[in-house]
Amino acid sequence: MKVAVVGSGGREHALAACLARTADVVVTPGNPGIPWSTSRPVEELDVDLVVVGPETPLVDGLADRLRAQGRSVFGPGADGAQLEGSKAWMKDVLVAAGVPTAGHGTFDDVAAAEAFLDTMGDLFVIKTDGLAAGKGVLVTSSRAEASAAVREYLSGERFGDAGRRLVIEEGLTGPEVSLLVICDGHRLVPLAPAQDYKRVGTGDTGPNTGGMGAYSPVPGVTSAMVEQILDTAVGPTLRELQRRGIDYRGVLYTGIMLTPAGPKVIEYNVRFGDPETQVLLPRFAGDLAALLQQAANGAMVDDATFNDDAAVTVVCASEGYPGALRTGDPILGLDAARAVPGVQVFAAGVGAGPDGRLVTAGGRVLNVTAVAPTIAQASAAAYTAVGMITWPGMHARADIARFGASNTEETR
Ligand code: AMP
Ligand code: GLY
């Protein structure tokens, strides 16, 4: 089977590496650190299956356009992709489906948003309605900060059109878990649970990012809890999509908070998580190309099985991320890092320098992933490898899957 992966980051590198076990793979456009990259556009590639990585092309209808050409595509159409493209629409679906989620209001004017803030408790959650690369969510206990965000979002100053409508949510508390579920329009096949780290700084400090690290499996998230999440959240969501005439073939990435009142949905993404994919797929034991092709064709028969190893990924980011970035620096130590037993390094925001060496070219630059029998061993191996990588201003969280340890940030 020939498979094309659309995208250019660490998630696509991890997808390609797993698909390549059983299929011929190309990644378009990929990046200079992904060996299967091609500059040919997906429309020109002669493949049996297209797997769309990022949310933006899905929201823009890439899967619909390819299906209209008769292609087999893993990824929802623009209709289903609204689950991620509009938080207001997503909340509407959840409410209609009776799925447990944070109470909310949707606003496009300051006065109504302020009046809603007045009714809230002591944790304010402000989200852009539209896509903001994982950075459009503010969680704060400061009423002044919440008010300032409402003005900056609605004026378009902070996130352009994505913020001109916003969702304000009740603040929930509890551990979070990411459950990625493969869907063929009817049937749901869960992947193993994973844990993501959203804040930029060690100890959950600083602003939200796209994700600074992840691990899988997640101790304490049992198969009974996964069943509960499927029964109370993902299943009802899929049925509500079907009721709206939406044939959802792709991943339903379910962001769950395990609150004292039970699991509640924090978000849906319509694609594989980044960096969750970088810990899930190295543990995946089956034929990913076959599973995704079955889902794309609306007839999934396989299940997803995972080996017993643990995987940990640590994101190495550019100076300034998630704000204004410094880029263009040569990445040093990559070969040494890759030589650490159990370690793979996925190339995310990388480019080619004048001498052909890899240079930094984005916010999240590398995903250093280690697989080992235990989470502690995987984390130790990942950090050994991270310690070998350097460029000016590189930073990584120091606490990914290091439980209870007090750590200082990795900066160079
Ligand atoms: P989202 O992009 O919607 O997943 O939000 C990013 C992060 O903000 C989540 O992973 C949570 O850590 C946090 N968050 C989002 N919604 C809430 C909420 N209602 N209560 C508390 N924290 C939240
Ligand atoms: N890691 C969070 C996301 O993929 O949105």
Side-chain angles (χ1 to χ4, degrees):
M1 192 196 314
K2 291 185 191 159
V3 184
V5 177
V6 176
S8 61
R11 164 186 51 211
E12 287 74 28
H13 193 170
L15 276 163
C18 190
L19 289 163
R21 293 186 210 153
T22 54
D24 289 333
V25 177
V26 284
V27 184
T28 171
N31 71 47
I34 302 179
W36 302 275
S37 298
T38 175
S39 56
R40 293 176 65 201
V42 65
E43 292 79 1
E44 289 178 11
L45 297 172
D46 176 22
V47 292
D48 305 299
L49 173 69
V50 177
V51 178
V52 183
E55 63 277 15
T56 304
L58 291 168
V59 171
D60 290 345
L62 177 64
D64 302 301
R65 292 193 295 280
L66 294 171
R67 286 191 180 108
Q69 297 176 356
R71 302 297 199 94
S72 184
V73 184
F74 183 81
D79 52 3
Q82 290 234 92
L83 271 185
E84 182 165 0
S86 168
K87 297 236 187 228
W89 191 84
M90 182 270 274
K91 295 294 281 192
D92 190 60
V93 169
L94 293 190
V95 171
V99 172
T101 187
H104 80 289
T106 299
F107 303 96
D108 46 28
D109 82 272
V110 172
E114 283 288 346
F116 189 76
L117 289 177
D118 284 338
T119 66
M120 293 181 70
D122 49 10
L123 193 58
F124 307 96
V125 183
I126 321 268
K127 304 186 175 185
T128 58
D129 177 50
L131 296 177
K135 300 170 202 163
V137 177
L138 174 73
V139 181
T140 180
S141 51
S142 156
R143 172 60 204 265
E145 203 183 349
S147 289
V150 162
R151 281 175 176 71
E152 285 168 17
Y153 281 38
L154 288 178
S155 68
E157 187 184 316
R158 185 91 171 267
F159 293 106
D161 286 345
R164 288 188 198 277
R165 171 179 288 175
L166 51 79
V167 170
I168 302 181
E169 283 184 10
E170 162 202 13
L172 303 176
T173 51
E176 288 179 54
V177 59
S178 305
L179 185 67
L180 279 65
V181 184
I182 309 289
C183 184
D184 66 355
H186 321 275
R187 188 174 162 231
L188 298 172
V189 169
L191 304 186
Q195 170 79 61
D196 179 24
Y197 291 71
K198 289 264 166 59
R199 301 266 184 170
V200 71
T202 300
D204 274 335
T205 53
N208 271 324
T209 68
M212 292 299 291
Y215 64 86
S216 176
V218 187
V221 177
T222 59
S223 53
M225 286 164 85
V226 169
E227 287 303 319
Q228 186 188 4
I229 293 166
L230 292 176
D231 289 349
T232 61
V234 195
T237 302
L238 177 62
R239 286 192 290 281
E240 177 61 21
L241 293 177
Q242 287 169 329
R243 201 186 62 75
R244 294 179 185 218
I246 296 172
D247 183 13
Y248 192 102
R249 301 183 187 186
V251 188
L252 273 168
Y253 166 132
T254 316
I256 294 282
M257 196 169 268
L258 303 170
T259 76
K264 294 195 178 183
V265 173
I266 291 279
E267 67 168 336
Y268 276 119
N269 296 319
V270 299
R271 35 109 194 141
F272 284 96
D274 188 352
E276 287 92 330
T277 304
Q278 291 87 312
V279 290
L280 290 173
L281 296 186
R283 301 185 54 229
F284 187 78
D287 180 342
L288 186 67
L291 180 70
L292 300 190
Q293 188 181 44
Q294 291 166 13
N297 294 340
M300 203 161 39
V301 288
D302 290 359
D303 284 314
T305 50
F306 289 81
N307 61 44
D308 290 335
D309 284 339
V312 172
T313 194
V314 179
V315 172
C316 298
S318 289
E319 183 175 322
Y321 180 76
L325 303 176
R326 167 184 171 141
T327 56
D329 292 303
I331 298 169
L332 305 178
L334 203 46
D335 292 341
R338 285 191 162 132
V340 175
V343 167
Q344 310 171 63
V345 182
F346 298 117
V350 306
D355 56 359
R357 266 198 311 183
L358 295 181
V359 298
T360 63
R364 295 188 292 170
V365 177
L366 299 175
N367 312 134
V368 179
T369 300
V371 176
T374 67
I375 293 178
Q377 288 165 341
S379 178
Y383 277 106
T384 299
V386 168
M388 294 169 170
I389 295 170
T390 184
W391 64 82
M394 182 211 114
H395 61 102
R397 279 184 63 150
D399 58 349
I400 307 300
R402 279 177 165 171
F403 309 111
S406 78
N407 302 291
T408 42
E409 201 124 338
E410 303 263 352
T411 49
R412 307 269 192 279

